[in-house]
Amino acid sequence: MLIWVPILIITVLWGYAWVLMKEVLTYMGPFTFSSFRFGTGSIVLLLIVWLSRKRFPLRQYWRQLLLLGILQTAIVFLLVMYGLRFVDAGKSSVLLYSMPMWSSILAVKFLSEKLTPAKWAGLLIGMLGLLTILGWDIWLGHDWKVIIGELLIILAAVSWGISNVYYRLQLQHLPKLETNAYQMLFGTIGILIATFFTEWGEPIALNLHSGYYILFTGILASALCFSVWFLILSMIDMVTATISTLLVPIFGLLFSSLVLGENMTAGVITGSCLIIAGIIIAQVSGKIRQHVGSKT
């Protein structure tokens, strides 16, 4: 039971971070913020790695870590932060956390995992949820930029799913904390390059508010939460851990409504429920099958 205390803490922090990621766009460009955020997170994680004084085969795996960093940190958060310019924070968190659906689809092709009838049902329900959110916005006549922003965030979820499969194939045997530290470092370099070419010279307002947003998301939501997350992964099974991440969009929707005053439309609520239900059905079915198989 005690394991749910850190799970609750990090999912609350991650959910609240969506509010700050939206608010900070009034002070600087989306890529500039991502550079500050993950630059801060990388420094903190690398400091922790250095203090641990553990040997890590960086030279042997730098290419794989570079690709993981591009997929998991650079592409995901470049797309998310750009999409957040046009999409509500709560809705964005729901769309990004459709990631388990894409991971499941890719795992069939590249990890030789099988899709059970329950997993198929869960994926179809989740896809229906995505279409509900997008279709509702189209029906309401939202600006095309909103639709493009939503599609970019869905592409970010796909990239996150690809990174999960790539991690399983290439880097799963390595220490998790060190792997995360170096992939975040390489991802930050990719974000810095994108920032240089797209937002160089744009105004940046560094003050108490923007500094708080950077430090909170960089130190707490990135370095600390991911470190605790990897500890949780070593203590409970992957299915339970994945399901627990569904608390993030729930808190994201809640905080976005309370702090930002975002309107939770029927389409967002219905689509969110379908996505969450679909992922739970797909993940729990696998856990039940594994449990039954272990007893036979």
Side-chain angles (χ1 to χ4, degrees):
M1 265 318 272
L2 287 178
I3 192 63
W4 285 99
V5 175
I7 287 176
L8 182 62
I9 291 173
I10 66 172
T11 51
V12 168
L13 292 177
W14 275 338
Y16 176 62
W18 283 93
V19 173
L20 306 187
M21 290 159 60
K22 182 72 172 182
E23 288 279 84
V24 78
L25 296 178
T26 61
Y27 298 97
M28 63 191 71
F31 298 168
T32 302
F33 165 71
S34 296
S35 297
F36 280 122
R37 172 185 177 177
F38 289 103
T40 303
S42 297
I43 291 171
V44 172
L45 282 176
L46 290 171
L47 180 61
I48 295 173
V49 170
W50 180 76
L51 290 174
S52 68
R53 299 185 183 279
K54 293 181 180 179
R55 294 181 61 84
F56 184 80
L58 177 61
R59 182 176 300 179
Q60 182 180 350
Y61 291 100
W62 74 267
R63 290 182 179 85
Q64 293 92 326
L65 289 166
L66 172 63
L67 183 54
L68 182 66
I70 296 299
L71 289 170
Q72 183 171 311
T73 297
I75 292 178
V76 171
F77 285 95
L78 286 173
L79 292 176
V80 164
M81 289 306 302
Y82 192 82
L84 268 172
R85 297 177 64 185
F86 316 109
V87 184
D88 288 346
K91 187 193 299 181
S92 299
S93 67
V94 173
L95 295 175
L96 182 63
Y97 279 85
S98 67
M99 170 273 296
M101 294 191 303
W102 310 113
S103 295
S104 298
I105 294 172
L106 293 166
V108 174
K109 174 68 175 177
F110 297 101
L111 300 178
S112 300
E113 294 186 2
K114 294 183 178 180
L115 281 180
T116 64
K119 283 191 174 184
W120 272 115
L123 288 172
L124 291 174
I125 292 172
M127 293 292 184
L128 180 61
L130 290 177
L131 292 174
T132 299
I133 293 176
L134 293 174
W136 184 270
D137 286 348
I138 294 173
W139 181 68
L140 288 179
H142 275 302
D143 191 302
W144 64 270
K145 291 182 179 178
V146 175
I147 308 300
I148 296 298
E150 292 172 350
L151 292 174
L152 289 176
I153 295 170
I154 292 174
L155 285 176
V158 174
S159 182
W160 190 2
I162 294 173
S163 74
N164 289 339
V165 173
Y166 183 77
Y167 170 78
R168 287 274 299 274
L169 288 172
Q170 299 291 334
L171 297 165
Q172 188 177 10
H173 60 287
L174 295 178
K176 292 180 173 61
L177 178 61
E178 288 86 344
T179 299
N180 185 52
Y182 288 113
Q183 73 81 17
M184 188 177 292
L185 172 64
F186 287 128
T188 301
I189 294 172
I191 293 173
L192 285 169
I193 293 172
T195 303
F196 177 80
F197 283 104
T198 60
E199 295 180 359
W200 182 262
E202 291 190 8
I204 303 173
L206 290 176
N207 51 41
L208 190 62
H209 289 95
S210 61
Y212 165 69
Y213 299 154
I214 292 169
L215 293 177
F216 184 98
T217 56
I219 297 176
L220 295 181
S222 296
L224 176 64
C225 282
F226 277 113
S227 298
V228 175
W229 175 247
F230 287 131
L231 175 63
I232 291 170
L233 287 179
S234 68
M235 299 173 65
I236 63 176
D237 62 274
M238 182 65 73
V239 173
T240 303
T242 303
I243 293 175
S244 71
T245 63
L246 297 179
L247 291 171
V248 178
I250 292 175
F251 286 125
L253 287 167
L254 177 63
F255 286 127
S256 298
S257 178
L258 294 177
V259 179
L260 302 178
E262 293 180 355
N263 183 29
M264 294 296 103
T265 65
V268 172
I269 295 173
T270 303
S272 302
C273 291
L274 287 172
I275 292 172
I276 292 171
I279 294 173
I280 290 176
I281 290 171
Q283 298 284 11
V284 170
S285 69
K287 185 176 181 181
I288 292 174
R289 282 176 62 88
Q290 183 180 26
H291 179 69
V292 172
S294 65
K295 291 200 167 190
T296 57

